[in-house]
mmCIF file of all heavy atoms in Angstrom:
data_model
loop_
_atom_site.group_PDB
_atom_site.id
_atom_site.type_symbol
_atom_site.label_atom_id
_atom_site.label_comp_id
_atom_site.label_asym_id
_atom_site.label_seq_id
_atom_site.Cartn_x
_atom_site.Cartn_y
_atom_site.Cartn_z
ATOM 1 N N SER A 309 7.127 37.823 -39.159
ATOM 2 C CA SER A 309 6.474 38.993 -39.749
ATOM 3 C C SER A 309 5.901 38.638 -41.146
ATOM 4 O O SER A 309 6.609 37.845 -41.854
ATOM 5 C CB SER A 309 7.443 40.175 -39.857
ATOM 6 O OG SER A 309 7.894 40.616 -38.581
ATOM 7 N N SER A 310 4.886 39.173 -41.539
ATOM 8 C CA SER A 310 4.297 38.982 -42.928
ATOM 9 C C SER A 310 4.805 39.937 -43.840
ATOM 10 O O SER A 310 5.428 40.989 -43.524
ATOM 11 C CB SER A 310 2.775 39.060 -42.883
ATOM 12 O OG SER A 310 2.365 40.330 -42.532
ATOM 13 N N GLN A 311 4.769 39.547 -45.214
ATOM 14 C CA GLN A 311 5.356 40.443 -46.170
ATOM 15 C C GLN A 311 4.651 41.783 -46.225
ATOM 16 O O GLN A 311 5.304 42.799 -46.415
ATOM 17 C CB GLN A 311 5.131 39.710 -47.531
ATOM 18 C CG GLN A 311 5.663 40.618 -48.717
ATOM 19 C CD GLN A 311 5.515 39.922 -50.091
ATOM 20 O OE1 GLN A 311 5.152 38.702 -50.129
ATOM 21 N NE2 GLN A 311 5.573 40.665 -51.110
ATOM 22 N N ALA A 312 3.348 41.809 -46.015
ATOM 23 C CA ALA A 312 2.545 43.038 -46.109
ATOM 24 C C ALA A 312 2.586 43.927 -44.936
ATOM 25 O O ALA A 312 2.453 45.154 -44.996
ATOM 26 C CB ALA A 312 1.077 42.673 -46.465
ATOM 27 N N LYS A 313 2.818 43.354 -43.783
ATOM 28 C CA LYS A 313 2.959 44.110 -42.526
ATOM 29 C C LYS A 313 3.913 43.469 -41.518
ATOM 30 O O LYS A 313 3.689 42.399 -40.988
ATOM 31 C CB LYS A 313 1.588 44.272 -41.842
ATOM 32 C CG LYS A 313 1.549 45.233 -40.680
ATOM 33 C CD LYS A 313 0.109 45.630 -40.334
ATOM 34 C CE LYS A 313 0.105 46.493 -39.015
ATOM 35 N NZ LYS A 313 0.848 47.745 -39.203
ATOM 36 N N SER A 314 5.015 44.136 -41.247
ATOM 37 C CA SER A 314 6.115 43.468 -40.496
ATOM 38 C C SER A 314 5.785 43.226 -39.024
ATOM 39 O O SER A 314 6.427 42.358 -38.461
ATOM 40 C CB SER A 314 7.337 44.346 -40.537
ATOM 41 O OG SER A 314 7.113 45.681 -40.014
ATOM 42 N N ASP A 315 4.816 43.872 -38.453
ATOM 43 C CA ASP A 315 4.464 43.575 -37.037
ATOM 44 C C ASP A 315 3.215 42.720 -36.889
ATOM 45 O O ASP A 315 2.611 42.642 -35.876
ATOM 46 C CB ASP A 315 4.336 44.843 -36.187
ATOM 47 C CG ASP A 315 3.215 45.761 -36.819
ATOM 48 O OD1 ASP A 315 2.700 45.580 -37.832
ATOM 49 O OD2 ASP A 315 2.888 46.762 -36.052
ATOM 50 N N TYR A 316 2.888 42.009 -37.984
ATOM 51 C CA TYR A 316 1.757 41.148 -38.002
ATOM 52 C C TYR A 316 2.039 39.851 -38.672
ATOM 53 O O TYR A 316 2.629 39.848 -39.821
ATOM 54 C CB TYR A 316 0.562 41.903 -38.761
ATOM 55 C CG TYR A 316 -0.869 41.283 -38.358
ATOM 56 C CD1 TYR A 316 -1.357 41.473 -37.200
ATOM 57 C CD2 TYR A 316 -1.512 40.615 -39.379
ATOM 58 C CE1 TYR A 316 -2.702 41.026 -36.882
ATOM 59 C CE2 TYR A 316 -2.752 40.161 -39.072
ATOM 60 C CZ TYR A 316 -3.354 40.330 -37.866
ATOM 61 O OH TYR A 316 -4.667 39.837 -37.541
ATOM 62 N N GLY A 317 1.651 38.711 -38.016
ATOM 63 C CA GLY A 317 1.895 37.367 -38.594
ATOM 64 C C GLY A 317 0.615 36.761 -38.964
ATOM 65 O O GLY A 317 -0.341 37.304 -39.460
ATOM 66 N N TYR A 318 0.479 35.477 -38.521
ATOM 67 C CA TYR A 318 -0.769 34.673 -38.785
ATOM 68 C C TYR A 318 -1.813 34.949 -37.723
ATOM 69 O O TYR A 318 -2.097 34.214 -36.808
ATOM 70 C CB TYR A 318 -0.430 33.220 -38.830
ATOM 71 C CG TYR A 318 0.271 32.782 -40.094
ATOM 72 C CD1 TYR A 318 1.191 31.742 -40.052
ATOM 73 C CD2 TYR A 318 0.143 33.509 -41.284
ATOM 74 C CE1 TYR A 318 1.884 31.375 -41.202
ATOM 75 C CE2 TYR A 318 0.927 33.120 -42.443
ATOM 76 C CZ TYR A 318 1.787 32.075 -42.395
ATOM 77 O OH TYR A 318 2.476 31.717 -43.517
ATOM 78 N N LEU A 319 -2.407 36.241 -37.825
ATOM 79 C CA LEU A 319 -3.461 36.718 -36.908
ATOM 80 C C LEU A 319 -2.903 36.833 -35.490
ATOM 81 O O LEU A 319 -3.692 36.780 -34.484
ATOM 82 C CB LEU A 319 -4.713 35.782 -36.959
ATOM 83 C CG LEU A 319 -5.339 35.565 -38.288
ATOM 84 C CD1 LEU A 319 -6.592 34.730 -38.223
ATOM 85 C CD2 LEU A 319 -5.635 36.965 -38.960
ATOM 86 N N TRP A 320 -1.577 36.961 -35.339
ATOM 87 C CA TRP A 320 -0.988 37.418 -34.089
ATOM 88 C C TRP A 320 -0.090 38.721 -34.395
ATOM 89 O O TRP A 320 0.521 38.797 -35.490
ATOM 90 C CB TRP A 320 -0.039 36.318 -33.562
ATOM 91 C CG TRP A 320 -0.678 35.121 -33.022
ATOM 92 C CD1 TRP A 320 -1.221 34.051 -33.675
ATOM 93 C CD2 TRP A 320 -0.826 34.853 -31.626
ATOM 94 N NE1 TRP A 320 -1.632 33.116 -32.906
ATOM 95 C CE2 TRP A 320 -1.443 33.551 -31.576
ATOM 96 C CE3 TRP A 320 -0.543 35.517 -30.437
ATOM 97 C CZ2 TRP A 320 -1.823 32.885 -30.313
ATOM 98 C CZ3 TRP A 320 -0.888 34.819 -29.253
ATOM 99 C CH2 TRP A 320 -1.501 33.577 -29.150
ATOM 100 N N TRP A 321 0.033 39.533 -33.389
ATOM 101 C CA TRP A 321 0.879 40.718 -33.489
ATOM 102 C C TRP A 321 2.271 40.441 -32.891
ATOM 103 O O TRP A 321 2.319 39.507 -32.118
ATOM 104 C CB TRP A 321 0.316 41.878 -32.762
ATOM 105 C CG TRP A 321 -1.072 42.381 -33.326
ATOM 106 C CD1 TRP A 321 -2.261 41.991 -33.074
ATOM 107 C CD2 TRP A 321 -1.200 43.444 -34.314
ATOM 108 N NE1 TRP A 321 -3.242 42.615 -33.799
ATOM 109 C CE2 TRP A 321 -2.629 43.483 -34.552
ATOM 110 C CE3 TRP A 321 -0.315 44.278 -35.032
ATOM 111 C CZ2 TRP A 321 -3.108 44.406 -35.484
ATOM 112 C CZ3 TRP A 321 -0.800 45.156 -35.944
ATOM 113 C CH2 TRP A 321 -2.203 45.225 -36.169
ATOM 114 N N ASN A 322 3.245 41.144 -33.327
ATOM 115 C CA ASN A 322 4.604 41.096 -32.636
ATOM 116 C C ASN A 322 5.157 42.548 -32.516
ATOM 117 O O ASN A 322 4.691 43.505 -32.932
ATOM 118 C CB ASN A 322 5.552 40.243 -33.587
ATOM 119 C CG ASN A 322 5.794 40.858 -34.877
ATOM 120 O OD1 ASN A 322 6.385 41.919 -35.005
ATOM 121 N ND2 ASN A 322 5.450 40.077 -35.972
ATOM 122 N N ASN A 323 6.235 42.656 -31.626
ATOM 123 C CA ASN A 323 6.719 43.867 -31.288
ATOM 124 C C ASN A 323 7.995 44.198 -32.146
ATOM 125 O O ASN A 323 8.836 44.952 -31.643
ATOM 126 C CB ASN A 323 7.085 43.942 -29.782
ATOM 127 C CG ASN A 323 7.310 45.310 -29.257
ATOM 128 O OD1 ASN A 323 6.578 46.271 -29.622
ATOM 129 N ND2 ASN A 323 8.296 45.537 -28.427
ATOM 130 N N SER A 324 8.125 43.607 -33.306
ATOM 131 C CA SER A 324 9.386 43.712 -34.063
ATOM 132 C C SER A 324 9.600 45.240 -34.437
ATOM 133 O O SER A 324 10.793 45.570 -34.678
ATOM 134 C CB SER A 324 9.320 42.899 -35.442
ATOM 135 O OG SER A 324 8.203 43.303 -36.217
ATOM 136 N N GLN A 325 8.560 46.068 -34.581
ATOM 137 C CA GLN A 325 8.760 47.377 -34.885
ATOM 138 C C GLN A 325 8.808 48.294 -33.687
ATOM 139 O O GLN A 325 8.809 49.531 -33.795
ATOM 140 C CB GLN A 325 7.633 47.934 -35.807
ATOM 141 C CG GLN A 325 7.641 47.183 -37.224
ATOM 142 C CD GLN A 325 8.916 47.256 -37.891
ATOM 143 O OE1 GLN A 325 9.326 48.377 -38.281
ATOM 144 N NE2 GLN A 325 9.538 46.148 -38.145
ATOM 145 N N LYS A 326 9.012 47.714 -32.472
ATOM 146 C CA LYS A 326 9.189 48.422 -31.246
ATOM 147 C C LYS A 326 8.072 49.447 -31.002
ATOM 148 O O LYS A 326 8.254 50.461 -30.459
ATOM 149 C CB LYS A 326 10.516 49.202 -31.224
ATOM 150 C CG LYS A 326 11.700 48.211 -31.488
ATOM 151 C CD LYS A 326 12.984 49.074 -31.395
ATOM 152 C CE LYS A 326 14.216 48.134 -31.709
ATOM 153 N NZ LYS A 326 15.485 48.878 -31.703
ATOM 154 N N ALA A 327 6.817 49.058 -31.338
ATOM 155 C CA ALA A 327 5.642 49.838 -31.014
ATOM 156 C C ALA A 327 5.539 49.981 -29.484
ATOM 157 O O ALA A 327 5.136 51.032 -29.054
ATOM 158 C CB ALA A 327 4.408 49.251 -31.602
ATOM 159 N N TRP A 328 5.929 48.994 -28.707
ATOM 160 C CA TRP A 328 5.994 49.012 -27.324
ATOM 161 C C TRP A 328 7.459 49.314 -26.920
ATOM 162 O O TRP A 328 8.318 48.457 -26.828
ATOM 163 C CB TRP A 328 5.562 47.735 -26.632
ATOM 164 C CG TRP A 328 4.091 47.424 -26.847
ATOM 165 C CD1 TRP A 328 3.163 48.302 -27.384
ATOM 166 C CD2 TRP A 328 3.409 46.242 -26.528
ATOM 167 N NE1 TRP A 328 1.881 47.615 -27.328
ATOM 168 C CE2 TRP A 328 2.044 46.386 -26.855
ATOM 169 C CE3 TRP A 328 3.757 44.978 -25.986
ATOM 170 C CZ2 TRP A 328 1.147 45.401 -26.699
ATOM 171 C CZ3 TRP A 328 2.863 43.989 -25.812
ATOM 172 C CH2 TRP A 328 1.577 44.211 -26.186
ATOM 173 N N GLU A 329 7.847 50.619 -26.838
ATOM 174 C CA GLU A 329 9.162 51.019 -26.622
ATOM 175 C C GLU A 329 9.732 50.467 -25.339
ATOM 176 O O GLU A 329 9.088 50.577 -24.264
ATOM 177 C CB GLU A 329 9.224 52.534 -26.620
ATOM 178 C CG GLU A 329 10.655 53.040 -26.741
ATOM 179 C CD GLU A 329 10.671 54.610 -26.882
ATOM 180 O OE1 GLU A 329 9.594 55.226 -27.234
ATOM 181 O OE2 GLU A 329 11.764 55.165 -26.711
ATOM 182 N N GLY A 330 10.977 49.946 -25.397
ATOM 183 C CA GLY A 330 11.511 49.421 -24.169
ATOM 184 C C GLY A 330 11.128 48.005 -23.844
ATOM 185 O O GLY A 330 11.585 47.411 -22.824
ATOM 186 N N VAL A 331 10.315 47.384 -24.689
ATOM 187 C CA VAL A 331 9.809 45.954 -24.482
ATOM 188 C C VAL A 331 10.542 45.148 -25.591
ATOM 189 O O VAL A 331 10.703 45.611 -26.707
ATOM 190 C CB VAL A 331 8.277 45.904 -24.612
ATOM 191 C CG1 VAL A 331 7.773 44.449 -24.526
ATOM 192 C CG2 VAL A 331 7.625 46.728 -23.574
ATOM 193 N N SER A 332 10.821 43.894 -25.209
ATOM 194 C CA SER A 332 11.610 43.044 -26.073
ATOM 195 C C SER A 332 10.872 42.961 -27.469
ATOM 196 O O SER A 332 9.666 42.781 -27.570
ATOM 197 C CB SER A 332 11.681 41.636 -25.473
ATOM 198 O OG SER A 332 12.145 40.666 -26.403
ATOM 199 N N GLU A 333 11.656 42.929 -28.528
ATOM 200 C CA GLU A 333 11.118 42.765 -29.814
ATOM 201 C C GLU A 333 10.645 41.319 -30.121
ATOM 202 O O GLU A 333 9.874 41.070 -31.018
ATOM 203 C CB GLU A 333 12.207 43.073 -30.916
ATOM 204 C CG GLU A 333 12.684 44.510 -30.882
ATOM 205 C CD GLU A 333 13.788 44.831 -31.870
ATOM 206 O OE1 GLU A 333 13.813 44.144 -32.943
ATOM 207 O OE2 GLU A 333 14.747 45.538 -31.495
ATOM 208 N N GLU A 334 11.014 40.393 -29.196
ATOM 209 C CA GLU A 334 10.628 38.982 -29.332
ATOM 210 C C GLU A 334 9.210 38.758 -28.812
ATOM 211 O O GLU A 334 8.667 37.655 -29.099
ATOM 212 C CB GLU A 334 11.629 38.109 -28.682
ATOM 213 C CG GLU A 334 13.038 38.244 -29.109
ATOM 214 C CD GLU A 334 13.233 37.981 -30.644
ATOM 215 O OE1 GLU A 334 12.618 36.983 -31.149
ATOM 216 O OE2 GLU A 334 13.846 38.732 -31.280
ATOM 217 N N VAL A 335 8.608 39.701 -28.092
ATOM 218 C CA VAL A 335 7.289 39.497 -27.564
ATOM 219 C C VAL A 335 6.233 39.385 -28.710
ATOM 220 O O VAL A 335 6.409 40.147 -29.719
ATOM 221 C CB VAL A 335 6.975 40.646 -26.623
ATOM 222 C CG1 VAL A 335 5.494 40.746 -26.366
ATOM 223 C CG2 VAL A 335 7.660 40.495 -25.306
ATOM 224 N N TYR A 336 5.248 38.534 -28.576
ATOM 225 C CA TYR A 336 4.218 38.535 -29.573
ATOM 226 C C TYR A 336 2.842 38.350 -28.812
ATOM 227 O O TYR A 336 2.882 37.954 -27.661
ATOM 228 C CB TYR A 336 4.377 37.413 -30.591
ATOM 229 C CG TYR A 336 4.173 35.981 -30.164
ATOM 230 C CD1 TYR A 336 3.073 35.289 -30.401
ATOM 231 C CD2 TYR A 336 5.212 35.335 -29.516
ATOM 232 C CE1 TYR A 336 2.981 34.000 -30.000
ATOM 233 C CE2 TYR A 336 5.227 34.039 -29.091
ATOM 234 C CZ TYR A 336 4.048 33.317 -29.389
ATOM 235 O OH TYR A 336 3.917 31.999 -28.994
ATOM 236 N N PHE A 337 1.806 38.773 -29.397
ATOM 237 C CA PHE A 337 0.538 38.823 -28.696
ATOM 238 C C PHE A 337 -0.714 38.770 -29.500
ATOM 239 O O PHE A 337 -0.713 39.104 -30.668
ATOM 240 C CB PHE A 337 0.499 40.123 -27.748
ATOM 241 C CG PHE A 337 0.756 41.379 -28.629
ATOM 242 C CD1 PHE A 337 -0.280 42.198 -28.973
ATOM 243 C CD2 PHE A 337 2.026 41.864 -28.852
ATOM 244 C CE1 PHE A 337 -0.112 43.361 -29.717
ATOM 245 C CE2 PHE A 337 2.289 42.995 -29.613
ATOM 246 C CZ PHE A 337 1.221 43.800 -29.985
#
Side-chain angles (χ1 to χ4, degrees):
S309 298
S310 60
Q311 178 183 343
K313 187 167 175 60
S314 56
D315 59 350
Y316 200 69
Y318 290 149
L319 303 182
W320 288 80
W321 295 89
N322 64 63
N323 196 42
S324 62
Q325 296 305 298
K326 302 180 182 178
W328 294 350
E329 193 173 343
V331 177
S332 170
E333 296 176 36
E334 302 302 315
V335 164
Y336 69 103
F337 54 96

